[in-house]
Amino acid sequence: MKKSALPDPFEEARVNKGYGEMDDQNDPVTMILGLKDLRKCAHNWKTFQSGAEPGRIVIPSEVNIRDTRQIPFEVDPPEHKDFRALVEPWFKRPLEADYKAALTQQINDIVDEVLTKDSVEVVGEFSLRLQSRALTLLLNIPYEESETWISWGTHVFRSEGEALDGDKANILYDYIDERISKAIENPGSDLYSMLLAATVNGKKLTREEVKGVMILTFAGGRDTVINAVTNSIAYFAEHPESLDKLLGDPDITGKAVEELIRYFSPLTQMGRVATEDTQVCEYAIKEDTRISLCWASANRDAKVFENPNDVVLDRKINPHVAFGFSHHNCLGATHARQIMNILLTTLAKKVKSIDIIDYKENIEELGEFKRKVGYDNLTVKFHTR
Amino acid sequence: MAKITFITTDNKTINLEGTSGSVMQLAVDNGVPGIDGDCGGVCSCATCHVHVAPEHVGKTGEASEIEEDMLDLNDYSNERSRLCCQLEISDALNGLVLQVAESD
Ligand code: HEM
Ligand code: HEM
Ligand code: FES
């Protein structure tokens, strides 16, 4: 097994029964594993809702550590649509030329920097820094602010060895509270100020709602991007020919981004709560129990993807669900895709090869399944082209 | 060379010409509102959804099963729906009229 490979632990269950089971703090989850079933459930928000008790659709459940409803993530249609309409133009800004230029500069600088070092711990010294700096562009706030987020380390919600840590999550919540207060006193052209000035359905967003959007922006865009970037470095370390291919044929970069994101599926799954007794793949789902949409499994479904466990860099038809499906599809996808696109272009131009020196895999324990989602640490040496 | 016409959701007509690549790329390069092409054309995002004018369905042919599956779960799709990233520009598409589909 290659060090950069992410095996698919769901295959047998997906093929034989279509679902898996895991317990989570006595609130069990039926995991939907096939692509077609998953899409149907994701689309059917009336039966499988997101707007349940705050924290319940996240696995592991966060009902015991927070009360703030994440917006638009934990809201169903029709309200969901109004919130999305409000924030969507903002989250499309990564397509603008200035944004792209600034992001390209950031990624160029950090790649140049790691090329000078004898060894680099990718998660902390590369991915976290790249992700935090890029987030200043998405929020439209000064670059220096990223220093604070970097100082929190990779595990902003948990202490070593503990899945969930309420105290640690409070660091983020308190920080956001303070920033909202500042933006109220002194409005600017940042995301906080935009939200504070906004109205949805004729009503101003409440402070709690603004907080919900901001926490989600931090939480949803952190580990996902860090894993996508770190896993890309591991992949290119073992596939230097792919760097050459991207350099020689830059037109495939967009397809390569989609394929890597499919293969990595940085978000394994997300839950929903059933609003009525129902069935998925002939399996009974009871009202008020949880299912999960297991994006990582659906993205390896051999009924849809040829050679699902291979990275086919220029895969032409790639109907993956790594960014979700239907109403709640990822709001940060434009930003994430732009990061990946520029990262691949920059690595192909500057890097000849990468050696893996040391690594520790990050394995999620999901009931009967164990899934590698990335690395706790990955130490490499970058070589200049 | 193919002349392709887009009718936007607010009923504006945009006439474009293309020689190669996908219809989605032509629309995105020319800023047709409502065609975002988020996934770059790999059939994953459905932000390139159009309705083919009834008299032109013969020009575009049928959607593949994978494309069909995406459209099945789209609230705004009908029997003339296509994801236009899956339409390759060629002389055969000359004169094609596409209505940009609504979305959420
Ligand atoms: C490669 C990186 C990323 C992946 C794989 C990813 C994946 C996903 C997935 C699968 C969903 C759907 C959740 C559901 O259906 O319940 C989602 C939703 C969301 N993501 Fe991402 N995400 C990424 C990056 C980001 C970034 C950078 C941000 C923001 C900074 C972000 C913000 C959000 C938000 C706000 C939602 C909720 C949208 C809604 O409920 O309408 N994500 N993401
Ligand atoms: C307020 C909203 C959220 C909070 C408070 C939150 C909290 C957490 C916590 C506590 C962990 C650590 C879990 C563990 O160590 O076992 C975590 C991990 C993670 N979260 Fe969230 N989360 C939120 C929303 C999201 C969203 C919307 C996404 C993606 C769309 C997301 C993606 C992830 C990913 C990919 C991991 C990392 C898994 C890993 O690498 O081990 N989170 N989050
Ligand atoms: S551009 Fe994404 S499906 Fe057509």
Side-chain angles (χ1 to χ4, degrees):
Chain A
M1 180 65 64
K2 288 207 165 203
K3 293 170 190 161
S4 65
L6 269 72
D8 168 25
F10 307 108
E11 183 177 0
E12 197 191 322
R14 185 174 59 237
V15 172
N16 292 335
K17 35 178 205 173
Y19 64 90
E21 288 165 285
M22 65 176 279
D23 186 39
D24 166 30
Q25 304 164 58
N26 297 319
D27 189 5
V29 182
T30 302
M31 305 164 73
I32 310 301
L33 301 179
L35 183 71
K36 274 196 186 188
D37 289 325
L38 176 149
R39 281 211 192 120
K40 271 191 212 140
C41 295
H43 186 64
N44 185 1
W45 57 268
K46 284 189 178 139
T47 305
F48 299 111
Q49 66 168 176
S50 294
E53 184 186 355
R56 193 165 174 213
I57 66 168
V58 184
I59 305 164
S61 169
E62 289 160 10
V63 292
N64 295 322
I65 62 164
R66 70 171 158 100
D67 306 307
T68 302
R69 182 170 296 281
Q70 311 306 329
I71 296 170
F73 174 58
E74 293 175 323
V75 181
D76 289 306
E79 296 86 359
H80 178 261
K81 182 174 175 167
D82 304 318
F83 282 116
R84 279 290 291 232
L86 167 67
V87 290
E88 227 154 70
W90 184 277
F91 281 86
K92 289 268 179 192
R93 287 168 47 255
L95 297 174
E96 292 169 9
D98 290 358
Y99 195 111
K100 237 181 116 171
L103 189 55
T104 304
Q105 185 66 51
Q106 287 185 359
I107 293 180
N108 256 294
D109 289 349
I110 196 165
V111 171
D112 283 344
E113 186 189 330
V114 294
L115 275 166
T116 66
K117 295 194 175 169
D118 288 336
S119 85
V120 179
E121 198 288 291
V122 177
V123 180
E125 294 178 64
F126 186 75
S127 308
L128 170 65
R129 290 163 74 207
L130 191 162
Q131 179 271 337
S132 297
R133 291 169 184 175
L135 192 63
T136 63
L137 296 174
L138 189 63
L139 270 50
N140 204 25
I141 58 174
Y143 177 85
E144 293 67 41
E145 200 63 20
S146 59
E147 297 302 326
T148 305
W149 310 335
I150 293 167
S151 75
W152 292 339
T154 40
H155 300 320
V156 62
F157 298 111
R158 66 187 137 163
S159 309
E160 222 42 63
E162 253 174 283
L164 298 182
D165 186 329
D167 287 344
K168 254 203 141 177
N170 284 336
I171 298 179
L172 176 63
Y173 296 171
D174 294 347
Y175 168 85
I176 288 174
D177 262 329
E178 183 206 315
R179 293 291 131 168
I180 293 174
S181 297
K182 280 210 173 138
I184 291 173
E185 277 164 36
N186 207 344
S189 53
D190 49 84
L191 179 56
Y192 301 97
S193 304
M194 184 281 270
L195 292 169
L196 285 164
T199 52
V200 169
N201 287 329
K203 273 191 295 194
K204 272 204 133 165
L205 290 195
T206 63
R207 188 185 170 111
E208 193 65 6
E209 285 170 334
V210 171
K211 192 173 163 187
V213 178
M214 292 310 304
I215 292 173
L216 183 58
T217 305
F218 275 92
R222 197 170 166 94
D223 295 41
T224 47
V225 171
I226 291 173
N227 280 335
V229 170
T230 307
N231 292 351
S232 299
I233 300 299
Y235 167 79
F236 286 119
E238 294 189 313
H239 299 273
E241 75 284 357
S242 292
L243 289 172
D244 299 338
K245 190 166 168 167
L246 286 165
L247 186 66
D249 189 2
D251 284 352
I252 68 163
T253 309
K255 293 192 175 70
V257 168
E258 298 303 315
E259 175 65 348
L260 290 175
I261 294 205
R262 174 192 74 87
Y263 184 78
F264 301 150
S265 295
L267 184 62
T268 302
Q269 59 180 347
M270 194 52 81
R272 296 287 188 268
V273 175
T275 56
E276 58 184 342
D277 288 350
T278 182
Q279 286 195 341
V280 185
C281 20
E282 292 166 21
Y283 179 74
I285 310 281
K286 278 230 168 312
E287 182 181 344
D288 198 38
T289 63
R290 298 196 291 171
I291 65 162
S292 86
L293 308 169
C294 188
W295 323 108
S297 168
N299 282 339
R300 301 292 179 96
D301 191 335
K303 289 186 190 146
V304 181
F305 302 99
E306 251 174 68
N307 302 325
N309 297 317
D310 295 345
V311 174
V312 181
L313 221 50
D314 56 356
R315 197 182 280 274
K316 280 170 197 63
I317 304 225
N318 195 349
H320 70 80
V321 288
F323 286 118
F325 184 73
S326 205
H327 314 282
H328 290 280
N329 69 10
C330 180
L331 192 57
T334 313
H335 177 72
R337 283 179 162 123
Q338 199 65 273
I339 290 177
M340 287 291 284
N341 208 294
I342 296 171
L343 177 66
L344 265 52
T345 307
T346 310
L347 290 174
K349 264 194 214 140
K350 295 181 182 273
V351 177
K352 180 158 109 316
S353 64
I354 303 165
D355 298 331
I356 296 179
I357 299 169
D358 187 27
Y359 68 101
K360 180 165 177 281
E361 296 181 341
N362 175 3
I363 312 275
E364 292 179 333
E365 307 260 350
L366 312 161
E368 55 183 302
F369 311 106
K370 288 189 185 10
R371 173 176 192 246
K372 172 177 167 189
V373 61
Y375 301 84
D376 286 335
N377 52 65
L378 171 71
T379 305
V380 305
K381 161 101 182 105
F382 289 88
H383 297 280
T384 312
R385 194 176 274 285
Chain B
M1 164 83 78
K3 291 187 183 198
I4 298 178
T5 301
F6 293 87
I7 302 170
T8 63
T9 46
D10 51 4
N11 272 319
K12 290 206 181 70
T13 299
I14 301 175
N15 295 304
L16 298 175
E17 282 178 14
T19 46
S20 66
S22 77
V23 172
M24 176 279 289
Q25 202 57 53
L26 179 71
V28 169
D29 290 347
N30 291 281
V32 175
I35 303 290
D36 294 348
D38 285 350
C39 76
V42 297
C43 209
S44 154
C45 72
T47 63
C48 62
H49 180 195
V50 294
H51 299 295
V52 180
E55 63 275 23
H56 295 158
V57 173
K59 284 187 201 281
T60 54
E62 305 234 313
S64 69
E65 193 188 329
I66 284 178
E67 186 185 334
E68 203 62 62
D69 285 345
M70 288 287 287
L71 290 166
D72 269 352
L73 291 175
N74 190 298
D75 292 337
Y76 301 93
S77 73
N78 64 19
E79 63 287 353
R80 294 182 289 102
S81 283
R82 290 300 305 268
L83 297 176
C84 69
C85 66
Q86 301 302 307
L87 300 175
E88 263 318 291
I89 297 179
S90 73
D91 294 349
L93 294 190
N94 193 29
L96 183 64
V97 178
L98 301 171
Q99 169 87 49
V100 177
E102 276 189 69
S103 66
D104 278 332

